[in-house]
């Protein structure tokens, strides 16, 4: 998680202290949360609605998309560093691999087999956080 936190802190153009904290919290949790309220509280926002307004005002995607990109980046880094397949990572965490494959395609427009070969650098360039598309 330290690698992801370092990368995201450098890449995400957070302006407010709360948004900086949100990026750190999302990175530390690998982009996975049970509820938006929890992410908002841990990041210092009053409510999840307040968090959404601040993200919008700062030109960042909403929490679900931001967290999704963080998960995709984490999965690609796991593949590059440890050769761990997305299906195996999913099953180890009790998640449905098909849901994760669909998320990768939804966010990147490409299947996992291509995204993992394109690598973490490509994912970082494609992220919507700094106008990438």
């Amino acid at each position: 998680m330290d690698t992801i936190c370092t990368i995201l802190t450098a890449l995400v153009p957070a302006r407010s202290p709360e948004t900086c904290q949100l990026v750190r919290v999302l990175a530390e949790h690998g982009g996975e949360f049970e509820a938006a309220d929890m992410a908002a509280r841990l990041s210092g926002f009053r409510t999840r609605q307040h968090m959404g307004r601040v993200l919008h005002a700062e030109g960042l995607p909403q929490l679900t998309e931001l967290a999704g990109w963080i998960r995709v980046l984490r999965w690609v880094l796991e593949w590059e560093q440890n050769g761990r397949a997305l299906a195996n990572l999913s099953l180890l965490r009790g998640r449905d691999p098909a849901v994760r494959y669909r998320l990768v395609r939804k966010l990147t427009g490409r299947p996992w087999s291509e995204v993992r070969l394109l690598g973490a650098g490509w994912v970082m360039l494609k992220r919507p956080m700094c106008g990438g598309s």
Side-chain angles (χ1 to χ4, degrees):
M1 290 307 155
D2 289 338
T3 302
I4 292 175
C5 194
T6 302
I7 290 169
L8 291 172
T9 301
L11 291 176
V12 178
R15 294 173 189 88
S16 68
E18 294 90 353
T19 305
C20 291
Q21 180 62 19
L22 175 62
V23 170
R24 282 192 291 277
V25 166
L26 286 173
E28 289 168 3
H29 288 86
E32 302 214 20
F33 276 97
E34 296 299 319
D37 290 330
M38 184 172 86
R41 272 194 318 276
L42 290 172
S43 303
F45 293 100
R46 292 185 307 272
T47 64
R48 63 186 167 90
Q49 291 85 2
H50 176 233
M51 177 179 58
R53 287 191 301 273
V54 172
L55 288 172
H56 179 73
E58 293 187 12
L60 295 170
Q62 292 301 303
L63 179 66
T64 54
E65 185 177 353
L66 184 59
W69 279 98
I70 291 169
R71 288 193 304 270
V72 171
L73 177 59
R74 187 183 88 217
W75 300 333
V76 172
L77 288 170
E78 277 287 331
W79 169 257
E80 290 177 348
Q81 294 170 357
N82 304 312
R84 291 194 181 121
L86 182 54
N88 290 345
L89 286 172
S90 302
L91 295 172
L92 284 172
R93 290 191 167 83
R95 307 287 189 200
D96 182 356
V99 172
R100 292 183 172 201
Y101 288 120
R102 284 192 299 271
L103 177 66
V104 170
R105 185 177 285 278
K106 177 183 174 187
L107 292 177
T108 67
R110 296 177 184 246
W112 169 249
S113 58
E114 286 182 29
V115 172
R116 73 176 188 216
L117 293 176
L118 290 166
W122 181 84
V123 172
M124 288 183 268
L125 290 173
K126 291 297 290 182
R127 78 207 183 286
M129 297 168 264
C130 295
S133 57

